[in-house]
Amino acid sequence: MVMWVFGYGSLIWKAGFNYDDRLVGFIRGYRRVFYQGSTDHRGTPEYPGRTVTLEPADDEVCWGVAYKVSNKEDEETAITYLEVREKQYDKKAYLDFFTDIKAASPAVSGIMVYIASSDKKLNKNYLGSAPIKEIAKQIINAEGPSGPNRDYLFHLEMALLQIGCKDKHVMDLANEVRRILSHGELIDS
């Protein structure tokens, strides 16, 4: 049995587990959004950072990377690692993954994807939508055990550009963070 995992956030640049193959591609029907609060990696319970999750969106695609794990021992290690790393993501989905925008059939079916749902009863860290300036200020101010939240945003922007993806939401947010920082605006918590 082979396991496939789809990364659309920090998994793009830092898998953290052994894998046999890495493919660039996308899933359909979702978009990447900075709506998930991070109280364990890029923020704290007192001041959550923001990380990406997926939101259903007809006619949209979300680019990222697929990791293939073939070895049973590597699979068990990867699952154990991911269950800790992605613990604030309350839902797992098994979706189709494509590598060609014109393809009718997926390159991989049943790829595992961690999603932070918008259900506040199941996901107490869901923050949801906010004006871009508000999200940017929250990202500027947040820092957790994995480092400053802005580093996550900038690494994601760079990783996406390296795989040929210009994600408008990520780029607009990164540009707003850079604008605020370059103007030295007072950041209100």
Side-chain angles (χ1 to χ4, degrees):
M1 195 70 183
V2 172
M3 178 180 83
W4 285 89
V5 179
F6 180 66
Y8 59 90
S10 61
L11 283 175
I12 295 173
W13 73 86
K14 183 184 176 188
F17 54 87
N18 293 329
Y19 56 88
D20 303 302
D21 200 4
R22 178 182 186 266
L23 301 175
V24 172
F26 60 91
I27 56 172
R28 291 184 171 146
Y30 289 91
R31 70 186 194 112
R32 179 184 4 254
V33 289
F34 267 86
Y35 293 177
Q36 175 64 12
S38 175
T39 60
D40 62 343
H41 288 294
R42 295 297 179 163
T44 63
E46 301 76 36
Y47 203 93
R50 279 186 178 256
T51 56
V52 291
T53 186
L54 296 175
E55 178 178 78
D58 293 339
D59 303 325
E60 291 206 35
V61 301
C62 178
W63 285 87
V65 295
Y67 294 101
K68 176 184 180 184
V69 182
S70 303
N71 177 292
K72 180 125 180 83
E73 190 176 302
D74 286 345
E75 181 180 333
E76 289 170 4
T77 302
I79 289 285
T80 301
Y81 170 77
L82 288 167
E83 290 298 317
V84 172
R85 179 175 172 167
E86 307 297 332
K87 69 183 177 205
Q88 293 192 337
Y89 290 69
D90 60 305
K91 188 172 145 189
K92 266 189 250 174
Y94 295 87
L95 306 172
D96 289 336
F97 174 81
F98 299 82
T99 55
D100 181 349
I101 203 77
K102 296 175 193 140
S105 58
V108 178
S109 288
I111 191 168
M112 184 172 60
V113 183
Y114 286 86
I115 300 173
S117 75
S118 60
D119 185 338
K120 291 288 255 172
K121 288 179 185 158
L122 299 174
N123 179 8
K124 65 181 173 132
N125 290 314
Y126 184 76
L127 298 173
S129 180
I132 193 164
K133 189 170 186 174
E134 187 179 312
I135 294 174
K137 286 182 176 184
Q138 185 173 3
I139 287 172
I140 289 168
N141 286 323
E143 185 168 349
S146 296
N149 199 182
R150 69 183 88 166
D151 288 355
Y152 172 92
L153 169 62
F154 295 144
H155 280 119
L156 179 57
E157 179 188 38
M158 185 183 308
L160 288 169
L161 290 172
Q162 286 172 346
I163 64 169
C165 173
K166 291 184 177 181
D167 185 303
K168 183 174 173 14
H169 178 67
V170 173
M171 293 176 75
D172 287 351
L173 191 51
N175 286 334
E176 180 64 12
V177 166
R178 281 190 283 271
R179 186 194 68 75
I180 291 170
L181 291 172
S182 71
H183 287 90
E185 288 182 27
L186 181 62
I187 307 299
D188 300 322
S189 297

